[in-house]
Each structure stands twice: as structure tokens, then as C-alpha cells.
mmCIF file of all heavy atoms in Angstrom:
data_model
loop_
_atom_site.group_PDB
_atom_site.id
_atom_site.type_symbol
_atom_site.label_atom_id
_atom_site.label_comp_id
_atom_site.label_asym_id
_atom_site.label_seq_id
_atom_site.Cartn_x
_atom_site.Cartn_y
_atom_site.Cartn_z
ATOM 1 N N CYS A 1 63.449 -15.644 8.662
ATOM 2 C CA CYS A 1 64.615 -15.631 9.550
ATOM 3 C C CYS A 1 65.456 -16.886 9.339
ATOM 4 O O CYS A 1 64.918 -17.984 9.213
ATOM 5 C CB CYS A 1 64.162 -15.576 11.014
ATOM 6 S SG CYS A 1 63.002 -14.245 11.384
ATOM 7 N N GLY A 2 66.772 -16.701 9.347
ATOM 8 C CA GLY A 2 67.677 -17.837 9.249
ATOM 9 C C GLY A 2 68.943 -17.450 8.518
ATOM 10 O O GLY A 2 68.967 -16.495 7.737
ATOM 11 N N ARG A 3 70.011 -18.206 8.788
ATOM 12 C CA ARG A 3 71.282 -17.935 8.124
ATOM 13 C C ARG A 3 71.150 -18.224 6.622
ATOM 14 O O ARG A 3 70.790 -19.326 6.225
ATOM 15 C CB ARG A 3 72.402 -18.776 8.733
ATOM 16 C CG ARG A 3 73.743 -18.634 8.035
ATOM 17 C CD ARG A 3 74.265 -17.174 8.008
ATOM 18 N NE ARG A 3 74.985 -16.799 9.197
ATOM 19 C CZ ARG A 3 74.837 -15.628 9.800
ATOM 20 N NH1 ARG A 3 73.969 -14.735 9.347
ATOM 21 N NH2 ARG A 3 75.541 -15.332 10.867
ATOM 22 N N GLY A 4 71.440 -17.207 5.828
ATOM 23 C CA GLY A 4 71.333 -17.323 4.379
ATOM 24 C C GLY A 4 70.059 -16.743 3.810
ATOM 25 O O GLY A 4 69.896 -16.695 2.584
ATOM 26 N N ALA A 5 69.150 -16.275 4.661
ATOM 27 C CA ALA A 5 67.898 -15.709 4.142
ATOM 28 C C ALA A 5 68.179 -14.586 3.153
ATOM 29 O O ALA A 5 67.580 -14.510 2.069
ATOM 30 C CB ALA A 5 67.037 -15.201 5.302
ATOM 31 N N ALA A 6 69.113 -13.703 3.518
ATOM 32 C CA ALA A 6 69.477 -12.594 2.637
ATOM 33 C C ALA A 6 70.656 -12.947 1.747
ATOM 34 O O ALA A 6 70.706 -12.543 0.581
ATOM 35 C CB ALA A 6 69.800 -11.352 3.476
ATOM 36 N N ASP A 7 71.605 -13.698 2.283
ATOM 37 C CA ASP A 7 72.880 -13.935 1.596
ATOM 38 C C ASP A 7 73.184 -15.414 1.520
ATOM 39 O O ASP A 7 73.886 -15.945 2.355
ATOM 40 C CB ASP A 7 73.993 -13.183 2.337
ATOM 41 C CG ASP A 7 75.306 -13.166 1.606
ATOM 42 O OD1 ASP A 7 75.333 -13.540 0.421
ATOM 43 O OD2 ASP A 7 76.317 -12.773 2.214
ATOM 44 N N MET A 8 72.741 -16.121 0.461
ATOM 45 C CA MET A 8 71.824 -15.618 -0.534
ATOM 46 C C MET A 8 70.846 -16.696 -1.003
ATOM 47 O O MET A 8 70.578 -16.860 -2.172
ATOM 48 C CB MET A 8 72.581 -15.024 -1.726
ATOM 49 C CG MET A 8 73.539 -15.991 -2.401
ATOM 50 S SD MET A 8 74.176 -15.352 -3.974
ATOM 51 C CE MET A 8 72.745 -15.604 -5.011
ATOM 52 N N LYS A 9 70.328 -17.453 -0.023
ATOM 53 C CA LYS A 9 69.422 -18.537 -0.386
ATOM 54 C C LYS A 9 68.051 -18.030 -0.824
ATOM 55 O O LYS A 9 67.368 -18.698 -1.610
ATOM 56 C CB LYS A 9 69.308 -19.530 0.768
ATOM 57 C CG LYS A 9 70.606 -20.310 0.960
ATOM 58 C CD LYS A 9 70.555 -21.299 2.097
ATOM 59 C CE LYS A 9 71.851 -22.110 2.157
ATOM 60 N NZ LYS A 9 71.841 -23.073 3.284
ATOM 61 N N GLY A 10 67.675 -16.846 -0.339
ATOM 62 C CA GLY A 10 66.442 -16.250 -0.822
ATOM 63 C C GLY A 10 66.510 -15.977 -2.313
ATOM 64 O O GLY A 10 65.575 -16.286 -3.071
ATOM 65 N N SER A 11 67.625 -15.417 -2.762
ATOM 66 C CA SER A 11 67.812 -15.151 -4.186
ATOM 67 C C SER A 11 67.832 -16.450 -4.996
ATOM 68 O O SER A 11 67.282 -16.505 -6.105
ATOM 69 C CB SER A 11 69.113 -14.388 -4.425
ATOM 70 O OG SER A 11 69.084 -13.133 -3.802
ATOM 71 N N LEU A 12 68.489 -17.483 -4.467
ATOM 72 C CA LEU A 12 68.536 -18.765 -5.172
ATOM 73 C C LEU A 12 67.132 -19.302 -5.410
ATOM 74 O O LEU A 12 66.823 -19.817 -6.495
ATOM 75 C CB LEU A 12 69.352 -19.783 -4.384
ATOM 76 C CG LEU A 12 70.838 -19.489 -4.185
ATOM 77 C CD1 LEU A 12 71.492 -20.605 -3.364
ATOM 78 C CD2 LEU A 12 71.560 -19.324 -5.508
ATOM 79 N N ALA A 13 66.279 -19.188 -4.405
ATOM 80 C CA ALA A 13 64.900 -19.645 -4.556
ATOM 81 C C ALA A 13 64.168 -18.811 -5.604
ATOM 82 O O ALA A 13 63.459 -19.343 -6.467
ATOM 83 C CB ALA A 13 64.182 -19.570 -3.217
ATOM 84 N N SER A 14 64.351 -17.493 -5.558
ATOM 85 C CA SER A 14 63.663 -16.615 -6.509
ATOM 86 C C SER A 14 64.090 -16.884 -7.942
ATOM 87 O O SER A 14 63.258 -16.956 -8.851
ATOM 88 C CB SER A 14 63.931 -15.146 -6.150
ATOM 89 O OG SER A 14 63.287 -14.777 -4.950
ATOM 90 N N MET A 15 65.387 -17.046 -8.165
ATOM 91 C CA MET A 15 65.847 -17.256 -9.539
ATOM 92 C C MET A 15 65.431 -18.631 -10.057
ATOM 93 O O MET A 15 65.110 -18.790 -11.241
ATOM 94 C CB MET A 15 67.362 -17.047 -9.651
ATOM 95 C CG MET A 15 68.225 -17.948 -8.823
ATOM 96 S SD MET A 15 70.031 -17.650 -8.995
ATOM 97 C CE MET A 15 70.237 -16.021 -8.320
ATOM 98 N N THR A 16 65.399 -19.629 -9.169
ATOM 99 C CA THR A 16 64.978 -20.965 -9.595
ATOM 100 C C THR A 16 63.515 -20.965 -10.007
ATOM 101 O O THR A 16 63.144 -21.477 -11.078
ATOM 102 C CB THR A 16 65.211 -21.990 -8.465
ATOM 103 O OG1 THR A 16 66.601 -22.006 -8.128
ATOM 104 C CG2 THR A 16 64.772 -23.382 -8.883
ATOM 105 N N VAL A 17 62.651 -20.397 -9.180
ATOM 106 C CA VAL A 17 61.220 -20.372 -9.485
ATOM 107 C C VAL A 17 60.941 -19.505 -10.711
ATOM 108 O O VAL A 17 60.117 -19.858 -11.566
ATOM 109 C CB VAL A 17 60.424 -19.888 -8.257
ATOM 110 C CG1 VAL A 17 58.958 -19.661 -8.610
ATOM 111 C CG2 VAL A 17 60.543 -20.905 -7.122
ATOM 112 N N ALA A 18 61.640 -18.373 -10.832
ATOM 113 C CA ALA A 18 61.455 -17.520 -12.006
ATOM 114 C C ALA A 18 61.837 -18.264 -13.279
ATOM 115 O O ALA A 18 61.130 -18.176 -14.300
ATOM 116 C CB ALA A 18 62.288 -16.250 -11.861
ATOM 117 N N ALA A 19 62.941 -19.010 -13.237
ATOM 118 C CA ALA A 19 63.381 -19.758 -14.416
ATOM 119 C C ALA A 19 62.416 -20.895 -14.742
ATOM 120 O O ALA A 19 62.122 -21.156 -15.920
ATOM 121 C CB ALA A 19 64.789 -20.297 -14.195
ATOM 122 N N GLU A 20 61.930 -21.588 -13.705
ATOM 123 C CA GLU A 20 60.936 -22.642 -13.935
ATOM 124 C C GLU A 20 59.717 -22.086 -14.655
ATOM 125 O O GLU A 20 59.227 -22.671 -15.632
ATOM 126 C CB GLU A 20 60.503 -23.253 -12.593
ATOM 127 C CG GLU A 20 61.538 -24.128 -11.909
ATOM 128 C CD GLU A 20 61.095 -24.553 -10.518
ATOM 129 O OE1 GLU A 20 60.297 -23.820 -9.882
ATOM 130 O OE2 GLU A 20 61.556 -25.605 -10.058
ATOM 131 N N ARG A 21 59.226 -20.979 -14.183
ATOM 132 C CA ARG A 21 58.040 -20.364 -14.793
ATOM 133 C C ARG A 21 58.327 -19.919 -16.214
ATOM 134 O O ARG A 21 57.508 -20.096 -17.130
ATOM 135 C CB ARG A 21 57.578 -19.169 -13.961
ATOM 136 C CG ARG A 21 56.911 -19.527 -12.649
ATOM 137 C CD ARG A 21 56.557 -18.272 -11.867
ATOM 138 N NE ARG A 21 55.792 -17.330 -12.662
ATOM 139 C CZ ARG A 21 55.701 -16.018 -12.404
ATOM 140 N NH1 ARG A 21 56.367 -15.512 -11.385
ATOM 141 N NH2 ARG A 21 54.977 -15.241 -13.160
ATOM 142 N N PHE A 22 59.498 -19.329 -16.414
ATOM 143 C CA PHE A 22 59.820 -18.783 -17.726
ATOM 144 C C PHE A 22 59.902 -19.879 -18.777
ATOM 145 O O PHE A 22 59.331 -19.750 -19.872
ATOM 146 C CB PHE A 22 61.127 -18.005 -17.669
ATOM 147 C CG PHE A 22 61.568 -17.481 -19.007
ATOM 148 C CD1 PHE A 22 60.931 -16.387 -19.584
ATOM 149 C CD2 PHE A 22 62.605 -18.090 -19.705
ATOM 150 C CE1 PHE A 22 61.316 -15.909 -20.833
ATOM 151 C CE2 PHE A 22 63.003 -17.622 -20.950
ATOM 152 C CZ PHE A 22 62.355 -16.530 -21.515
ATOM 153 N N VAL A 23 60.609 -20.971 -18.481
ATOM 154 C CA VAL A 23 60.760 -22.012 -19.505
ATOM 155 C C VAL A 23 59.449 -22.769 -19.713
ATOM 156 O O VAL A 23 59.239 -23.355 -20.789
ATOM 157 C CB VAL A 23 61.914 -22.973 -19.170
ATOM 158 C CG1 VAL A 23 63.230 -22.215 -19.082
ATOM 159 C CG2 VAL A 23 61.651 -23.759 -17.892
ATOM 160 N N ALA A 24 58.562 -22.767 -18.716
ATOM 161 C CA ALA A 24 57.236 -23.351 -18.908
ATOM 162 C C ALA A 24 56.367 -22.448 -19.778
ATOM 163 O O ALA A 24 55.629 -22.920 -20.650
ATOM 164 C CB ALA A 24 56.563 -23.594 -17.559
ATOM 165 N N ASP A 25 56.461 -21.144 -19.557
ATOM 166 C CA ASP A 25 55.648 -20.188 -20.312
ATOM 167 C C ASP A 25 56.199 -19.942 -21.715
ATOM 168 O O ASP A 25 55.435 -19.672 -22.646
ATOM 169 C CB ASP A 25 55.589 -18.850 -19.561
ATOM 170 C CG ASP A 25 54.777 -18.918 -18.281
ATOM 171 O OD1 ASP A 25 54.082 -19.932 -18.080
ATOM 172 O OD2 ASP A 25 54.841 -17.964 -17.484
ATOM 173 N N TYR A 26 57.517 -19.998 -21.857
ATOM 174 C CA TYR A 26 58.178 -19.712 -23.140
ATOM 175 C C TYR A 26 59.159 -20.845 -23.473
ATOM 176 O O TYR A 26 60.372 -20.642 -23.476
ATOM 177 C CB TYR A 26 58.912 -18.371 -23.084
ATOM 178 C CG TYR A 26 58.013 -17.185 -22.819
ATOM 179 C CD1 TYR A 26 57.790 -16.741 -21.512
ATOM 180 C CD2 TYR A 26 57.390 -16.512 -23.856
ATOM 181 C CE1 TYR A 26 56.963 -15.656 -21.256
ATOM 182 C CE2 TYR A 26 56.561 -15.421 -23.617
ATOM 183 C CZ TYR A 26 56.353 -15.004 -22.317
ATOM 184 O OH TYR A 26 55.534 -13.925 -22.073
ATOM 185 N N PRO A 27 58.641 -22.044 -23.759
ATOM 186 C CA PRO A 27 59.543 -23.184 -23.992
ATOM 187 C C PRO A 27 60.434 -23.006 -25.220
ATOM 188 O O PRO A 27 61.485 -23.639 -25.314
ATOM 189 C CB PRO A 27 58.579 -24.363 -24.168
ATOM 190 C CG PRO A 27 57.265 -23.739 -24.542
ATOM 191 C CD PRO A 27 57.217 -22.426 -23.844
ATOM 192 N N ASP A 28 60.022 -22.138 -26.134
ATOM 193 C CA ASP A 28 60.798 -21.910 -27.363
ATOM 194 C C ASP A 28 61.519 -20.567 -27.313
ATOM 195 O O ASP A 28 61.651 -19.879 -28.326
ATOM 196 C CB ASP A 28 59.862 -21.978 -28.578
ATOM 197 C CG ASP A 28 60.607 -22.336 -29.865
ATOM 198 O OD1 ASP A 28 61.556 -23.134 -29.792
ATOM 199 O OD2 ASP A 28 60.245 -21.792 -30.929
ATOM 200 N N HIS A 29 61.990 -20.181 -26.136
ATOM 201 C CA HIS A 29 62.605 -18.872 -25.946
ATOM 202 C C HIS A 29 63.880 -18.723 -26.763
ATOM 203 O O HIS A 29 64.498 -19.706 -27.210
ATOM 204 C CB HIS A 29 62.900 -18.646 -24.458
ATOM 205 C CG HIS A 29 63.837 -19.656 -23.865
ATOM 206 N ND1 HIS A 29 65.202 -19.597 -24.017
ATOM 207 C CD2 HIS A 29 63.598 -20.770 -23.115
ATOM 208 C CE1 HIS A 29 65.770 -20.614 -23.390
ATOM 209 N NE2 HIS A 29 64.825 -21.339 -22.833
ATOM 210 N N LYS A 30 64.322 -17.492 -26.913
ATOM 211 C CA LYS A 30 65.576 -17.196 -27.595
ATOM 212 C C LYS A 30 66.761 -17.652 -26.737
ATOM 213 O O LYS A 30 66.682 -17.693 -25.511
ATOM 214 C CB LYS A 30 65.705 -15.685 -27.834
ATOM 215 C CG LYS A 30 64.570 -15.063 -28.612
ATOM 216 C CD LYS A 30 64.734 -13.546 -28.636
ATOM 217 C CE LYS A 30 63.564 -12.869 -29.317
ATOM 218 N NZ LYS A 30 63.680 -11.389 -29.287
#
């Protein structure tokens, strides 16, 4: 609950963590 949970700080958190994981797992990505 909170202002921005849906629009769109939740998405910002998801994309940041996904990118962190991706560049750690695939540091030599395309």
C-alpha cells in the first residue's frame, strides 16, 4: 500500500533488481 505502488515505483524496483541480477549472471551479455 502507498502512493506509487502501482504507478510506478513497484515496476522501478522490479526492473532494477532484474537488471542487477542479469548483469551479475551474464556480465558478458550481448
